[in-house]
Amino acid sequence: MSEKPSPFVFDDSGEAKRHAPATLRNREAITKILRSCLPAKGRVLEAASGTGEHIVHFAAAFPHLHWQPTDPDPLALVSIQAWAAEADLANIAAPLELDTAALNWPVKSADALICINMVHIAPIEAAAGLMRGAGRILPPGGALYLYGPFIEDGVPLAASNAEFDRSLKARNPLWGLRHVGEVSAMAAENGLTLENRIEMPANNLSLIFIRN
């Protein structure tokens, strides 16, 4: 079953905690990749933490790291706090409001940066801002991890991704799947190099950029 429609569909029962069904399907696969690119110690910033389910899972899987969730949506911040409170993990900081397109971020430094299922569900300025921020806050050798569906030269677009792209643009003309080349070019402008491209379940990709 495709996970494509679910990143922006939440199970909202009226409780503070929100639920994104895709999280349960992709978190283990993402955790496996993160083991190869996260530092041995330090602070990991998550941009667009959404419901908060991913960062709670990662904080439990990587107890040696300190995790900083962020999101621009006030309801998401409430959900993140609720999931974190339930998990009761000492290595999750209080969530911060962060719009990646903003020129100034509330976080001035991090040892790694992750962003899952955001760049296609936001205007391109959000991706450009993410790259600017990564270039500014990451140390040399620090990793930026992206996950989601992308378009690539020479790689046929899966039917589920093509339909997902159409549905995103129908929802908001400024949304849509981004081209790996376009994202990589924005990264290069900010001192980051695409080091690894990994195929993931449900026609998604993991892209790992390293700060030069």
Side-chain angles (χ1 to χ4, degrees), residues 18-107:
R18 303 167 84 187
H19 172 57
T23 305
L24 294 177
R25 296 195 291 270
N26 62 34
R27 64 186 186 183
E28 293 297 342
I30 293 173
T31 299
K32 182 178 179 180
I33 303 302
L34 291 179
R35 293 191 187 283
S36 71
C37 65
L38 292 182
K41 61 180 181 178
R43 185 188 202 190
V44 181
L45 169 66
E46 183 181 29
S49 296
T51 64
E53 294 168 280
H54 272 133
I55 204 162
V56 166
H57 182 79
F58 300 150
F62 301 96
H64 56 287
L65 294 171
H66 296 281
W67 293 83
Q68 177 61 67
T70 69
D71 204 276
D73 180 355
L75 289 178
L77 296 176
V78 172
S79 180
I80 295 163
Q81 186 62 53
W83 280 102
E86 181 180 79
D88 194 24
L89 297 171
N91 60 333
I92 304 178
L96 298 174
E97 183 177 352
L98 170 61
D99 178 352
T100 61
L103 294 178
N104 295 310
W105 286 14
V107 177

Side-chain angles (χ1 to χ4, degrees), residues 128-208:
L130 179 69
M131 295 305 176
R132 283 196 307 270
R136 191 169 58 245
I137 72 170
L138 291 177
L144 165 63
Y145 171 84
L146 296 187
Y147 170 91
F150 292 90
I151 299 170
E152 298 180 276
D153 286 336
V155 179
L157 188 62
S160 60
N161 279 352
E163 176 56 33
F164 188 40
D165 187 48
R166 286 191 291 270
S167 70
L168 287 170
K169 290 173 179 174
R171 185 178 172 91
N172 187 324
L174 298 178
W175 294 0
L177 272 62
R178 308 302 176 190
H179 198 289
V180 170
E182 178 185 28
V183 174
S184 297
M186 291 188 293
E189 291 174 359
N190 292 280
L192 297 115
T193 300
L194 179 59
E195 182 180 78
N196 208 351
R197 167 206 173 275
I198 303 165
E199 294 184 5
M200 303 292 284
N203 300 308
N204 288 294
L205 293 178
S206 285
L207 302 178
I208 301 172

Side-chain angles (χ1 to χ4, degrees), residues 96-119:
L96 298 174
E97 183 177 352
L98 170 61
D99 178 352
T100 61
L103 294 178
N104 295 310
W105 286 14
V107 177
K108 304 305 180 185
S109 66
D111 298 287
L113 172 58
I114 68 173
C115 186
I116 297 168
N117 280 332
M118 181 203 80
V119 298

